Amino acid sequence: MPLKVTARLLEPIAGIDPPHLDSILECVMRPLVPSILKSSNGNRHIGADAMRTGTIPIPIDRKFVAGYPHPIARCSSPIMGHVHRDGVEHFARRLDTSDPHLLAEENRKQVNHTGGEFKASRLPLRVRVVNEIVWFCMGRGSNSARGKGGASEMRNRLKRVDCIGKKSSYGYGRVAEWIVEPAQDDWSWFAPTDDGPMLMRTLPSCVAMPKGLWGFRPSFAAPVSPYFDPALLCEVITPC
């Protein structure tokens, strides 16, 4: 069944873009793959591999498209609510030489501060204050007789996730609660609007596009998780 997943945030989220829901779930499930395969129903996931694209079992349906070798999650890109503040924080690091013991003759030594472990840096990081982030997806098993569509499993997996985005160790991206509820329709890839169907997530450019599709631009990116893997890069259409 179509699902709407909402993350209500306690703290600002850091990073250029919020994470994809399928990648969040894969991070949760990756350590569990060996135990899943050894379970009584593990034969349903034969071929699952924590290192192979599209095989980690998650409560989101996946679909193949002609011309691309990996199954693509039926899940929209993250949709942020109203952004109250959009700014930049800087994270700096340098070798602390204020310790007087470093002046002792026996403690003097050369340290490279232009590279390696002690390299000095001051890196910018985009930080946005937002109340919630929403994803639309198709729950796994939506066509089964049970009809649960992965909603209960989705809630069970997401309760393990207490923060999203970058620099979570600094307190960014803390999640107050996850809300999983039925959606009106399948808006995972395309959503209806008064001007025609609108693209909802990054897809390979070889995908069959509905007539009148708008809200996209051509790009070069990974349409599947892990989105940082250069081996998965291809020509895509992405929301804009």
Side-chain angles (χ1 to χ4, degrees):
M1 67 184 296
L3 299 174
K4 176 184 177 183
V5 179
T6 305
R8 291 188 174 170
L9 302 181
L10 287 171
E11 301 293 342
I13 186 166
I16 298 176
D17 295 306
H20 290 264
L21 183 61
D22 53 308
S23 64
I24 294 174
L25 291 167
E26 286 192 10
C27 286
V28 173
M29 297 299 296
R30 184 173 286 110
L32 305 178
V33 169
S35 59
I36 290 174
L37 293 175
K38 294 178 181 178
S39 66
S40 57
N41 291 320
N43 61 312
R44 295 182 302 167
H45 305 289
I46 290 177
D49 186 341
M51 303 302 294
R52 197 161 81 245
T53 301
T55 62
I56 298 177
I58 59 175
I60 294 178
D61 193 26
R62 293 187 178 105
K63 181 180 178 180
F64 281 97
V65 298
Y68 190 73
H70 306 295
I72 302 170
R74 297 177 66 183
C75 179
S76 72
S77 294
I79 304 168
M80 290 194 297
H82 176 67
V83 178
H84 300 280
R85 184 176 70 86
D86 190 344
V88 176
E89 299 286 348
H90 289 85
F91 289 82
R93 164 175 98 159
R94 67 182 178 86
L95 179 63
D96 185 8
T97 57
S98 61
D99 187 351
H101 294 288
L102 296 177
L103 300 177
E105 187 68 31
E106 64 273 15
N107 289 333
R108 293 182 181 179
K109 60 181 179 179
Q110 288 186 340
V111 175
N112 180 13
H113 60 86
T114 60
E117 180 183 359
F118 300 105
K119 180 180 179 180
S121 62
R122 186 172 186 268
L123 303 177
L125 182 69
R126 187 179 187 182
V127 175
R128 281 165 286 190
V129 178
V130 60
N131 293 333
E132 62 182 26
I133 300 176
V134 174
W135 299 263
F136 292 96
C137 66
M138 286 294 289
R140 188 181 63 193
S142 302
N143 298 321
S144 67
R146 296 180 181 180
K148 293 183 179 180
S152 59
E153 184 182 355
M154 182 84 72
R155 295 187 189 98
N156 184 51
R157 300 306 179 190
L158 288 176
K159 69 182 181 182
R160 301 168 178 259
V161 180
D162 55 10
C163 56
I164 59 176
K166 293 185 177 297
K167 297 294 183 181
S168 57
S169 60
Y170 286 81
Y172 290 111
R174 288 180 56 203
V175 178
E177 64 174 332
W178 290 94
I179 302 173
V180 181
E181 55 192 333
Q184 179 180 349
D185 205 348
D186 177 13
W187 295 347
S188 57
W189 286 8
F190 310 104
T193 70
D194 293 338
D195 297 320
M198 179 178 64
L199 184 67
M200 295 292 284
R201 70 160 289 134
T202 299
L203 294 172
S205 56
C206 58
V207 71
M209 304 181 196
K211 185 177 180 180
L213 182 67
W214 69 282
F216 70 93
R217 61 179 174 82
S219 185
F220 196 74
V224 294
S225 180
Y227 293 92
F228 57 81
D229 189 347
L232 300 175
L233 297 177
C234 68
E235 292 183 356
V236 298
I237 55 174
T238 190
C240 62

